[in-house]
Amino acid sequence: PANGSNPNGPELLSLIPVALDFAARSIQNDIEQKSVQSILKSLEYPLTTYIRALKGSIRVLQVPKGKLLNQAVEDCKKHRQAPLIDHQHSLELRFPYALRQMQLIAEKHNRPEFGLLHHNSTNQEPLFYYLQSLQYYIVYCTYSRHNKESWVVGERYVTKLATHTINTKEFKRNTGTDMMVPASHPKSGPYGVKYAEKATYQRQAFLLRKYAEKATYQRQAFLRTDMDWNGYTPKDIVVPYYVPTTPGRLASLTGTNTIKESSTDNKQTPMLLFFAGGRNPPGGLREQLESAISTVTTADQTTDVVFTTSAITKEKFYEGLHQSVFCASVRGDTASSSRLFAIIEAGCIPVIISDWLLLPFESIIDYTTFSVRFPESIVHNPRQLVSHLRIISSTQIEAMQHALKSVRAMLIYPEMSSVSDFHLLNPVTLTLVEMFMRRKEYCDGLQYANHKGTQGTTDIKTIGTENSSDMCVKLYARLKDALQHK
């Protein structure tokens, strides 16, 4: 918005069509940069090939507003916690917005690689569909922990949404395998009502079976920030939380002395390690680490480690991120946390302490180039944690900070601002690349089953033409075309 305010959900819906008056400060296709290549994993095909194959590939489907959704939108307008666009779970609104901004860049700035949205004027059909289900409104404008009826509203909406979705022609064509549904909040998606009492999920599954055998609604790819509550399925995709951008400042270590790099003349001594977060759950890993690390710092009489579960202001939190070399992201009530992405956005080196955490785009991005990871059992040896961080050389730290600068755009959503930089390698593009790679694995499995028992391997030039799903035929055709137009 021109005034720089953060609109809530209802305002954003009317904003999106006019938001295309966007002119980026800079438009960057940074795939070929050496700094970017150093943090990417080796893929079956070059990343540029996947992005080329995704050109004009995705169509956004809007769910029609029925009685429940209309009421939720109205409730949002008067809700004391309206779903602000800068909320960590605002993926559902940001994803189509970013797609439209990229399309504008493709058309107005002659950058075809940004044009991922499907056009009806083209000969090719969409490869994937993004279902803007607007569960975001239901989650934030009807839910109240003190009102059990609010659970029922969410369950009822997900059931109606499933009924609507599985009866669309887009769903029926490939039984949902080519559809993506945002489910950032743990309460959204088919498993979301798992929070509810009295096995609500089992009731929902029963209702879904009334409309589609074996709950076929769940065949879609759900875009999740956390797999902990919902359970892991390889068809789903882990995506980043949204975090706001802040002015970046990096801290660095030279030998054993901490030195602050700042744009001002006032040098401040940076912290070695910083963590500030809630006690969720009470008595959990965060509180245990706070006590264990406090014992070490007290014995060593050091002051460059801050680890607290006490409440601090937002200003102090971001100050801690910007003035620290390492910042901890520790398991809370779920394995993931938006804190990890706030750390990356601030340019602090993440110290991840969360077993079984699935990270966004792990098959594409090499997290070892810019982060440190410990098992949760490190709580029993906190001195090892602090000592390990102290012996990391300044050269290693500089290399990790350099990698952080490159990966930042890949994991931090573009801001809705007319003066922001716009990168081709952003979370939306990588989500689609991940979707393409996952569905190719699925199609390869079908292809293998069809050719099982035949000798030799099947070449990319000949596959996807028989006994394949409609999606697989289109996927292989796009891949072949991308390989031929290098």
Side-chain angles (χ1 to χ4, degrees):
N3 61 5
S5 64
N6 281 314
N8 63 23
E11 291 170 337
L12 184 68
L13 282 181
S14 60
L15 171 72
I16 286 178
V18 300
L20 299 179
D21 295 330
F22 166 81
R25 181 172 59 195
S26 69
I27 301 169
Q28 301 182 33
N29 179 352
D30 35 20
I31 299 178
E32 302 300 337
Q33 292 180 8
K34 289 184 179 179
S35 58
V36 170
Q37 289 297 316
S38 66
I39 61 176
L40 296 177
K41 292 184 176 180
S42 178
L43 306 177
E44 182 180 7
Y45 298 100
L47 190 54
T48 50
T49 299
Y50 290 112
I51 295 176
R52 195 179 295 117
L54 284 164
K55 181 180 177 182
S57 65
I58 183 166
R59 176 181 291 173
V60 177
L61 300 177
Q62 288 277 4
V63 172
K65 289 185 185 178
K67 182 177 178 180
L68 280 175
L69 186 55
N70 278 330
Q71 185 59 54
V73 171
E74 288 301 313
D75 290 343
C76 280
K77 296 177 181 178
K78 55 188 177 183
H79 201 278
R80 66 182 182 85
Q81 291 183 325
L84 298 179
I85 190 57
D86 62 354
H87 192 279
Q88 65 179 10
H89 291 302
S90 60
L91 161 70
E92 180 161 351
L93 303 174
R94 289 185 169 275
F95 199 98
Y97 185 95
L99 279 173
R100 290 183 175 102
Q101 300 296 55
M102 292 173 69
Q103 191 63 36
L104 181 73
I105 290 173
E107 295 171 359
K108 297 293 180 68
H109 298 274
N110 194 28
R111 305 295 293 270
E113 68 272 22
F114 282 81
L116 304 183
L117 270 177
H118 178 262
H119 271 281
N120 291 331
S121 59
T122 62
N123 295 327
Q124 283 185 309
E125 292 184 346
L127 177 62
F128 300 129
Y129 297 91
Y130 176 88
L131 181 66
Q132 193 167 8
S133 60
L134 304 178
Q135 295 178 69
Y136 191 63
Y137 295 98
I138 300 295
V139 169
Y140 284 98
C141 298
T142 65
Y143 167 64
S144 169
R145 69 180 61 188
H146 304 298
N147 180 7
K148 290 186 178 181
E149 173 63 20
S150 68
W151 292 111
V152 180
V153 173
E155 176 186 350
R156 192 184 305 141
Y157 181 70
V158 172
T159 301
K160 286 182 176 292
L161 176 64
T163 305
H164 163 78
T165 304
I166 64 177
N167 283 291
T168 61
K169 65 179 187 298
E170 291 86 2
F171 186 95
K172 290 179 179 179
R173 179 172 293 178
N174 290 291
T175 57
T177 55
D178 53 357
M179 299 187 74
M180 295 181 289
V181 183
S184 175
H185 193 280
K187 279 180 79 267
S188 59
Y191 299 96
V193 289
K194 182 177 179 180
Y195 277 108
E197 297 177 343
K198 300 181 181 178
T200 306
Y201 169 62
Q202 279 74 18
R203 296 205 308 274
Q204 180 197 340
F206 170 75
L207 290 171
L208 287 176
R209 282 195 293 271
K210 289 171 57 180
Y211 302 102
E213 187 177 0
K214 299 180 181 178
T216 53
Y217 177 66
Q218 298 178 29
R219 289 175 59 84
Q220 303 168 106
F222 289 90
L223 310 184
R224 305 185 185 279
T225 50
D226 192 283
M227 296 289 186
D228 215 29
W229 282 97
N230 299 302
Y232 172 72
T233 59
K235 68 177 176 60
D236 297 332
I237 298 174
V238 183
V239 295
Y241 288 87
Y242 166 74
V243 293
T245 57
T246 57
R249 294 178 295 172
L250 296 179
S252 64
L253 288 179
T254 302
T256 57
N257 299 317
T258 53
I259 298 177
K260 184 74 178 65
E261 294 180 356
S262 175
S263 58
T264 67
D265 294 330
N266 297 322
K267 297 290 183 179
Q268 299 180 16
T269 302
M271 307 300 295
L272 172 72
L273 176 64
F274 173 77
F275 174 83
R279 299 184 181 96
N280 52 316
L285 180 63
R286 293 178 178 181
E287 280 195 87
Q288 295 173 37
L289 273 170
E290 180 182 30
S291 175
I293 290 176
S294 175
T295 301
V296 173
T297 56
T298 300
D300 295 348
Q301 297 184 336
T302 54
T303 58
D304 61 350
V305 174
V306 172
F307 198 106
T308 179
T309 59
S310 300
I312 64 172
T313 64
K314 184 180 293 185
E315 290 73 21
K316 286 291 184 182
F317 173 73
Y318 286 112
E319 182 180 312
L321 296 183
H322 287 299
Q323 293 184 357
S324 303
V325 178
F326 299 98
C327 297
S329 179
V330 184
R331 163 187 275 281
D333 49 11
T334 63
S336 71
S337 168
S338 63
R339 182 173 288 96
L340 172 61
F341 304 97
I343 291 169
I344 291 171
E345 193 282 328
C348 192
I349 299 172
V351 177
I352 302 170
I353 308 175
S354 180
D355 294 348
W356 310 117
L357 172 64
L358 296 173
L359 295 164
F361 322 130
E362 273 192 289
S363 59
I364 301 171
I365 297 172
D366 184 359
Y367 280 80
T368 64
T369 61
F370 59 87
S371 66
V372 182
R373 194 160 185 172
F374 291 97
E376 293 177 17
S377 59
I378 196 68
V379 68
H380 303 301
N381 193 355
R383 185 174 296 281
Q384 180 185 349
L385 187 157
V386 176
S387 299
H388 180 83
L389 297 180
R390 289 197 187 282
I391 64 173
I392 297 177
S393 69
S394 58
T395 302
Q396 288 177 286
I397 288 172
E398 289 173 5
M400 296 174 86
Q401 289 178 334
H402 188 67
L404 269 174
K405 291 180 181 179
S406 299
V407 82
R408 184 179 181 276
M410 301 183 198
L411 295 172
I412 306 301
Y413 289 96
E415 286 294 343
M416 295 182 180
S417 167
S418 61
V419 295
S420 62
D421 296 330
F422 214 101
H423 294 255
L424 176 61
L425 294 187
N426 60 64
V428 173
T429 302
L430 293 189
T431 298
L432 293 175
V433 171
E434 187 82 29
M435 179 74 172
F436 193 101
M437 293 167 58
R438 294 282 186 91
R439 293 308 176 262
K440 183 179 179 299
E441 290 178 4
Y442 164 81
C443 294
D444 288 348
L446 295 181
Q447 196 70 27
Y448 174 78
N450 290 335
H451 291 86
K452 191 174 182 181
T454 61
Q455 293 184 346
T457 57
T458 308
D459 188 84
I460 183 68
K461 297 178 181 178
T462 61
I463 63 178
T465 56
E466 57 179 271
N467 298 328
S468 292
S469 72
D470 173 74
M471 178 194 69
C472 293
V473 172
K474 291 186 292 187
L475 184 146
Y476 286 131
R478 284 178 168 274
L479 183 56
K480 293 173 192 174
D481 186 62
L483 289 169
Q484 291 168 3
H485 295 83
K486 293 185 178 180

